[in-house]
Amino acid sequence: MTDTTSTASAAPQDADVLTRLEQEGEIAADYLEGLLDIADLDGDIDMDVEGDRAAVSVIADGPSRDLQKLVGRDGEVLEALQELTRLAVLRETGERSRLMLDIAGHRARKREKLTALAQETVQQVRDSGEAVKLKPMTPFERKVVHDAVAAAGLRSESEGEEPQRRVVVLP
């Protein structure tokens, strides 16, 4: 009987989490729409829930060159906007958000490149039997690499201090 109770109570908890993440996405979308209006930039906002976090994307209506201003060099402006958006969610909900922001497909492209890098590194580690240290990365980049390495069946860890923190892929 306790199994039935625990599964029954798990469903509402999952629904509560989904509702909370959808609310985070809506708050973020409202904040970003205001930002786009202020900056006089055109873009559509797409909201989703990916795993255990809300994901919001700003997609170009026309040429994405305008939105590149919001990405910045190596995604620096995007990172700052993500933190500001998380703060807007915190202000409304009172809870810290792990929301992920993408603008003009920058993070999606970055994820593809990092996954390929991780796969190449996994092969290199398997061939040599020795650990390989990658260049310093942002937390987002390290997470993508760690996930890809784990999916390939190897272990990885981060070492160093920000901003020089890097992934080490272990044999």
Side-chain angles (χ1 to χ4, degrees), residues 8 12 15 21 25 36 39 41 46 51 59 65 68 78 80 105 118 121 124-125 132 135 140 143 153 162:
L21 293 175
L36 289 173
L41 296 172
D46 183 39
I59 304 161
R65 191 182 303 163
Q68 289 305 315
L78 172 58
T121 305
Q124 182 182 350
V125 168
V132 172
K135 66 178 180 63
F140 164 76
K143 169 89 169 94
E162 295 294 350

Side-chain angles (χ1 to χ4, degrees), residues 20-38:
R20 181 180 54 78
L21 293 175
E22 288 171 344
Q23 179 190 17
E24 286 183 13
E26 289 173 13
I27 293 166
D30 289 344
Y31 176 78
L32 291 165
E33 283 175 2
L35 181 76
L36 289 173
D37 285 345
I38 290 168

